[in-house]
Amino acid sequence: ENVFDPQAGGENAVFTVNHFISYDEDPSISDTIYSQQVFNNYIAYDDGTAERSYGASADNTKMAVQFRAYQPDTLRGVQIYFNRVQANYNDRYFHIGIWNDNNGKPGSLIYKQENLRPYIPDLNDFHTYIFQDTILRLSVNNFHVSVTQTTFDNLNIGFDRNNNSKSKTFYNTSGTWLPSPFDGS
């Protein structure tokens, strides 16, 4: 039995779940299944590996992903993986935005951190962009995290093709949020 104490701090909680099955008439016939359930301090749709890149070749393009807070919570930053490209061509300024929800799409901008540069780490290594000036308090609702390009150059954000959150991914090149045309996360 694992007991999670949220007041004790820490970044995650791990619970080991055991299932034991036996046959009463023949005790030698039995089996045990073990699994681990990990509760982390982040939410994500991807599996941590990028098979492709996601981005657009248009100035001021916004790309957003929808998440849901199921209880009041805080948001202190976001993690993004920028794929390495030849000659660090994607080393361009971008902005992070947090939006409220408007019928399943990004609504009003509630937070913006400007003039950031991609941190280009090792393969599939996410970088955490911490909100230096605020901690957002989230109510029970959908919210959206966006990246806005400041040039025509594609930022090459890591894109997971193994998990499909297409229904929660949007882009905006002309003032209107549109659903992503690509399967993935």
Side-chain angles (χ1 to χ4, degrees), residues 33-64:
I33 299 171
Y34 298 94
S35 65
Q36 285 195 325
Q37 176 65 55
V38 179
F39 294 94
N40 282 304
N41 67 346
Y42 63 88
I43 52 178
Y45 297 116
D46 64 280
D47 65 5
T49 60
E51 289 75 34
R52 298 272 195 272
S53 295
Y54 191 90
S57 296
D59 187 27
N60 203 36
T61 295
K62 296 171 183 62
M63 297 163 280

Side-chain angles (χ1 to χ4, degrees), residues 1-182:
E1 174 183 316
N2 291 346
V3 177
F4 177 60
D5 179 5
Q7 303 303 320
E11 297 297 315
N12 62 35
V14 178
F15 295 84
T16 301
V17 180
N18 303 326
H19 295 280
F20 181 75
I21 300 169
S22 66
Y23 184 56
D24 289 340
E25 294 180 22
D26 185 354
S28 67
I29 300 175
S30 65
D31 202 355
T32 305
I33 299 171
Y34 298 94
S35 65
Q36 285 195 325
Q37 176 65 55
V38 179
F39 294 94
N40 282 304
N41 67 346
Y42 63 88
I43 52 178
Y45 297 116
D46 64 280
D47 65 5
T49 60
E51 289 75 34
R52 298 272 195 272
S53 295
Y54 191 90
S57 296
D59 187 27
N60 203 36
T61 295
K62 296 171 183 62
M63 297 163 280
V65 179
Q66 178 191 85
F67 296 97
R68 180 162 186 82
Y70 288 94
Q71 64 181 30
D73 207 343
T74 57
L75 183 62
R76 300 180 305 175
V78 298
Q79 291 184 318
I80 304 172
Y81 169 62
F82 290 97
N83 296 34
R84 183 177 300 280
V85 295
Q86 187 174 3
N88 289 335
Y89 184 71
N90 60 338
D91 187 18
R92 306 292 190 257
Y93 286 105
F94 71 95
H95 313 309
I96 292 175
I98 308 299
W99 305 73
N100 65 12
D101 188 72
N102 182 13
N103 294 318
K105 293 183 179 180
S108 300
L109 185 66
I110 57 177
Y111 176 79
K112 186 175 186 180
Q113 190 166 3
E114 297 182 304
N115 300 320
L116 302 166
R117 283 191 173 250
Y119 176 76
I120 313 291
D122 294 330
L123 182 63
N124 294 317
D125 188 12
F126 287 74
H127 179 71
T128 303
Y129 294 89
I130 296 176
F131 303 156
Q132 298 295 333
D133 54 347
T134 190
I135 294 176
L136 294 175
R137 307 245 181 256
L138 302 172
S139 59
V140 176
N141 203 350
N142 293 335
F143 65 97
H144 303 259
V145 176
S146 74
V147 169
T148 302
Q149 296 181 182
T150 59
T151 69
F152 285 88
D153 303 313
N154 189 330
L155 287 174
N156 290 299
I157 296 172
F159 192 62
D160 176 16
R161 295 290 301 229
N162 295 321
N163 295 303
N164 189 6
S165 62
K166 176 181 177 177
S167 66
K168 300 184 182 328
T169 308
F170 303 90
Y171 72 99
N172 182 335
T173 58
S174 61
T176 302
W177 289 100
L178 300 170
S180 173
F182 305 110

